[in-house]
Amino acid sequence: MKKVFQILLAIAIVALAYLSYQSINKPLEYGKIKKQRYDKIINQLKDIRKAQVAYKDVNGKYTGSFDTLISFIKTDSMPLVKSEGTLTDEQYEAGMTEKEAVKKGFIIRDTIMISALDTLFGKEYPIENLRFVPFTKGKHQFKMGAGVFVTGSQVKVQVFEAKVSNMIIFEDIYEEYNEEIKEDNGNRIRLNKYPGLMVGSLEEANNNAGNWE
């Protein structure tokens, strides 16, 4: 009986040690995965914001459609002011401004139209993938909307938002890290924060800020 008890005790000690290790190691592993995924998704949300700002500059409003946004980036052009010439030291010391130099022809400015894709991202940028949430293998798209927010002083502000929840971001590892994900979401909800990543807002005029900023 003594031997059996010793074996059972040894098994219990090993099991306890494993559980203790897991209780420390799992949150650390989740933290590493979260950082890796958040970094990439944040970069993509920044790209969506960049595309939306360019779209609004040309069209006067944001769009809630990825089809429209991607088509704009692929096929439309944006104005670019091309400048030739600079103020000389003598002109600067004489108090001449750039505006005056343009009027007098010392500086030439011309507005040209260039490809939105080339301007914002470069020719090789995979613009068709802008809508898809990284790490979901094309299964999920960002939720995106656009509209008009009326401030307390009755000012109408064009707004948009693009977001993805943690349940989508970590869908493929939820079984393994469900406790960590639930705790993360719970903490955010208690603080009245979106449980995931979001840029812009349809509920406030926040200057297109990301909730990570």
Side-chain angles (χ1 to χ4, degrees):
M1 285 295 293
K2 188 177 179 182
K3 218 171 200 179
V4 173
F5 177 75
Q6 287 175 336
I7 292 171
L8 291 175
L9 183 60
I11 292 172
I13 290 171
V14 171
L16 184 60
Y18 176 76
L19 290 174
S20 298
Y21 170 78
Q22 284 293 86
S23 67
I24 297 171
N25 194 55
K26 275 191 74 177
L28 292 176
E29 289 177 346
Y30 171 68
K32 289 178 183 177
I33 294 170
K34 179 181 175 180
K35 184 181 185 310
Q36 178 196 27
R37 296 194 177 191
Y38 266 35
D39 285 350
K40 189 168 180 62
I41 292 170
I42 285 171
N43 283 336
Q44 193 149 327
L45 285 170
K46 287 179 179 178
D47 285 348
I48 291 172
R49 175 169 61 190
K50 189 189 295 185
Q52 283 278 21
V53 170
Y55 182 88
K56 180 177 176 290
D57 285 345
V58 173
N59 297 282
K61 62 181 180 179
Y62 299 111
T63 176
S65 165
F66 270 113
D67 287 340
T68 300
L69 186 62
I70 290 169
S71 176
F72 164 75
I73 298 298
K74 284 174 64 178
T75 63
D76 276 26
S77 298
M78 296 175 59
L80 175 71
V81 177
K82 188 178 179 182
S83 180
E84 293 181 7
T86 58
L87 282 174
T88 65
D89 291 340
E90 291 81 3
Q91 290 167 340
Y92 180 78
E93 289 171 4
M96 184 180 290
T97 64
E98 282 198 8
K99 189 175 181 180
E100 291 172 335
V102 170
K103 280 185 179 179
K104 293 181 178 181
F106 296 122
I107 296 176
I108 299 172
R109 285 182 179 164
D110 187 24
T111 301
I112 59 174
M113 301 301 291
I114 54 177
S115 163
L117 180 61
D118 291 354
T119 305
L120 297 173
F121 304 111
K123 290 180 181 179
E124 304 305 316
Y125 185 88
I127 192 62
E128 293 289 354
N129 294 333
L130 189 67
R131 69 179 77 215
F132 297 114
V133 180
F135 303 102
T136 66
K137 299 179 180 177
K139 183 179 176 183
H140 294 289
Q141 297 185 24
F142 291 97
K143 288 185 178 180
M144 190 169 73
V148 177
F149 176 79
V150 182
T151 68
S153 54
Q154 300 304 302
V155 176
K156 293 182 179 180
V157 181
Q158 295 288 334
V159 293
F160 88 94
E161 71 176 22
K163 62 185 180 180
V164 57
S165 73
N166 281 336
M167 297 304 289
I168 296 297
I169 295 172
F170 304 116
E171 182 181 61
D172 60 322
I173 60 169
Y174 183 77
E175 253 184 65
E176 187 176 357
Y177 295 100
N178 62 85
E179 290 182 10
E180 288 75 18
I181 296 167
K182 285 178 181 177
E183 182 180 358
D184 198 353
N185 285 347
N187 290 336
R188 286 172 176 265
I189 291 169
R190 278 191 291 275
L191 294 170
N192 201 29
K193 294 182 178 180
Y194 178 66
L197 289 170
M198 177 170 70
V199 65
S201 175
L202 297 180
E203 299 177 358
E204 62 176 327
N206 70 352
N207 200 31
N208 302 331
N211 67 345
W212 63 87
E213 295 173 320

